[in-house]
């Protein structure tokens, strides 16, 4: 993993519980690798609704451009954040409750009613990492350094593929 560049945070990573951090830190790590500043917070749509709203309402004024929101079970968090800000919200469904294998969280993000979208990624660590890459792709539209970092990331990923499965 490359050394993180110190930059002002532009991506907010919000998760519903501290128990989500082991997965959601993938998003922070990928953003670090790309030199994208991020801030991580535990805030819940049902346990701390007022604190969540107050936090989200500060984001645009503080220069944030994208929100990544991870939650498990019925996972109202990404949809609630998307209802509170017009910044792009990328949802990561988590296996929080275990009982339904994350299908509950997937549906709560994918099935947002018309008007308030949540761009939904894969379940768990893959989704958290991809949310970071997608956030970087959004930022890269107006930031050449991030665009270059993303191109380098892909080139490295391509070079790491070994065609011989027995090698
Ligand atoms: C959701 O409930 C969280 O996002 C987490 O995935 C799940 C379980 O939370 P804890 O009971 O571990 O705090 O709100």
């Amino acid at each position: 993993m490359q050394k993180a560049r110190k930059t002002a945070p532009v991506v907010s990573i919000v998760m519903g519980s501290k128990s989500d951090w082991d997965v959601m830190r993938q998003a922070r790590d990928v953003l670090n690798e790309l030199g994208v500043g991020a801030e991580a917070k535990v805030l819940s749509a049902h346990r701390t609704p007022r604190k969540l709203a107050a936090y989200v309402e500060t984001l645009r004024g503080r220069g944030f451009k994208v929100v990544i929101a991870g939650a498990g079970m019925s996972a109202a968090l990404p949809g609630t954040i998307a209802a509170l800000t017009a910044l792009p919200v990328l949802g990561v469904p988590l296996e929080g409750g275990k009982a339904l294998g994350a299908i509950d969280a997937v549906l709560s993000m994918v099935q947002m009613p018309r008007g308030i979208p949540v761009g939904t990624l894969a379940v768990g660590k893959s989704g958290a990492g991809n949310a970071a890459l997608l956030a970087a792709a959004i930022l890269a539209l107006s930031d050449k350094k991030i665009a270059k970092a993303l191109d380098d990331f892909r080139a490295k990923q391509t070079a790491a593929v070994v065609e011989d499965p027995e090698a």
Side-chain angles (χ1 to χ4, degrees), residues 16-17 19-20 46-47 70-73 94 96-97:
S17 168
S19 65
D20 298 328
H46 57 283
R47 289 174 178 147
M73 302 191 75
L94 304 176

Side-chain angles (χ1 to χ4, degrees), residues 1 10 12 20 23 26 37 45 83 85 103 107 114 133 151 156-157:
M1 196 84 20
V10 287
S12 167
D20 298 328
V23 174
Q26 305 292 314
T85 179
I103 192 68
L107 293 177
R114 180 161 53 184
L133 292 171
D151 285 348
K156 219 166 102 185
Q157 180 170 253

Side-chain angles (χ1 to χ4, degrees), residues 138-160:
I138 293 168
L139 295 164
L141 293 171
S142 57
D143 185 316
K144 285 187 181 147
K145 272 188 186 166
I146 296 175
K148 164 90 170 60
L150 211 43
D151 285 348
D152 291 349
F153 176 95
R154 288 198 172 204
K156 219 166 102 185
Q157 180 170 253
T158 300

